[in-house]
Amino acid sequence: MKLAGKTDVGRIRRENQDDFRAGALPGGAAWGLVCDGMGGARGGREASRGACDIIERCFQEHYNRCLPGMEKVFLEDVLSNANHYVFQKSSQEETLAGMGTTAVCALVRSGRVHLCHAGDSRAYLYHAGHLVQLTHDHSYVQELVDCGTITPQEAEHHPQKNIITRALGVDYRVCPDYTSVVILPEDILLLCSDGLTNFVPVAQMEQIFARYSFYDVPDKLIEAANAGGGQDNITALLLGAEPLEVKHG
């Protein structure tokens, strides 16, 4: 696997409440994570950074317990641990009350992508020139789309698009969604925050993937999001089904 990621504050926000982590694992496997914090300037930063710290530690210390077939349980436990940490910290510090963070976490091994997520940070698979969304947003607007109240096109500019219905740290328990798909050589997994997807259409992202090299794509995606308004923090993390190389910028 090869990894490339970048995060950017955007053009409007003063602070970056996004965070991401990634790393290689034994046997040619890899993991990646994108978090988008919420709950005020300090709360958002603390939530995303704290969740990333806990999840990274879980992979470092407990991945050896994740036997074949246990990926769903492992990822759910990882996000549950992060949820507990953020919720406890929010409960104990008045200035952090109400903080939380989205999370989309991936484990790639043995030709499969295993995903667990809460919130509207997304995962896409780039295959044969097309991006396919693998996650389903946990948001109020997505619920309106699901029940047919509004169209996907109307959802793109809905004034309540920022209302999240599931996240880490807002309750003592969390119910993340899990999915798994095949990943083939030359495929690329994209994990990203909504600061990218809200300002760069999928068709434009596909053009960037097709035009630029693997390690240049995160920079170009962020440039496109800033050119499209840059009204939020932006994070793009790639995991490529290739021999191992790592870049974290």
Side-chain angles (χ1 to χ4, degrees), residues 36 38 52 59 71 74 129 150 183 188 205 209 218-219 221 233 236:
D36 179 357
M38 55 194 184
C52 281
F59 274 97
E71 294 88 358
F74 177 78
I150 63 173
I183 185 169
I188 299 173
M205 288 196 283
F209 272 84
D219 290 289
L221 290 173
N233 306 146

Side-chain angles (χ1 to χ4, degrees), residues 32-96:
L33 168 71
V34 167
C35 288
D36 179 357
M38 55 194 184
R42 185 186 169 208
R45 291 197 312 274
E46 289 283 347
S48 62
R49 185 183 306 151
C52 281
D53 287 345
I54 294 297
I55 292 172
E56 183 172 33
R57 191 179 309 155
C58 286
F59 274 97
Q60 291 172 344
E61 299 179 358
H62 304 300
Y63 175 71
N64 61 332
R65 304 177 189 174
C66 183
L67 302 176
M70 295 181 60
E71 294 88 358
K72 179 177 185 290
V73 172
F74 177 78
L75 289 175
E76 288 176 343
D77 285 347
V78 163
L79 264 63
S80 179
N81 287 339
N83 180 76
H84 178 76
Y85 172 84
V86 177
F87 181 73
Q88 287 293 107
K89 196 169 184 65
S90 172
S91 301
Q92 293 166 359
E93 298 189 34
E94 184 177 349
T95 58
L96 301 178

